[in-house]
Amino acid sequence: MRKNIKQLITVARENQIEVVYVQHDDGPGTDLDKSADNYEIYEEFAPRSSEKRFEKNVNSAFHPVTSLTKYLLAKGEKDIDRTSSDSQTGSYYGAI
C-alpha cells in the first residue's frame, strides 16, 4: 500500500494536482500528540513546503474546526481523492 500512496502523490504532483495533508492531534500524552517525535508525516509521503497542511482534533477532516472544507470550497474544488496512512500502527490504507 505504501507504494500505491507514494505513486498517487507523485502522479498528482506531476500533473499539478494539489496535495493537501491533514493530521490528527489528540493532545499531550496521547499516541497522536503533535509535540511527539512520531507525529511527523511518514517521510516517503512528506509534504513539500508549498503544500497545505491542516491539523484536526475532531473525527472528521471536513469538520469546520479544520478549515479544510472552507479552503476547498474557496478554490472551487468539487472532486476529492483521499488516501490515508496511520504512522502509529504502521498501517497504510486509502480510498480513491
Side-chain angles (χ1 to χ4, degrees):
M1 187 57 103
R2 281 193 325 221
K3 179 181 172 188
N4 292 341
I5 294 172
K6 189 174 177 180
Q7 182 179 8
L8 179 65
I9 292 169
T10 300
V11 170
R13 288 173 175 161
E14 288 173 350
N15 289 281
Q16 289 75 49
I17 297 171
E18 183 177 19
V19 179
V20 177
Y21 292 79
V22 179
Q23 285 180 276
H24 187 85
D25 174 25
D26 271 339
T30 66
D31 288 338
L32 296 170
D33 176 357
K34 70 180 180 181
S35 66
D37 290 338
N38 64 350
Y39 186 72
E40 287 304 310
I41 294 171
Y42 183 61
E43 64 185 18
E44 288 187 38
F45 310 149
R48 294 180 173 168
S49 60
S50 61
E51 293 172 330
K52 288 290 247 182
R53 196 174 188 170
F54 294 87
E55 289 186 351
K56 68 180 187 76
N57 58 6
V58 293
N59 63 345
S60 173
F62 300 101
H63 189 283
V65 74
T66 70
S67 70
L68 175 61
T69 300
K70 184 177 178 180
Y71 174 76
L72 294 173
L73 289 173
K75 292 180 58 71
E77 296 294 342
K78 295 180 182 167
D79 298 317
I80 300 170
D81 290 335
R82 176 183 173 268
T83 189
S84 302
S85 68
D86 183 344
S87 61
Q88 303 302 315
T89 63
S91 62
Y92 306 92
Y93 47 93
I96 304 295

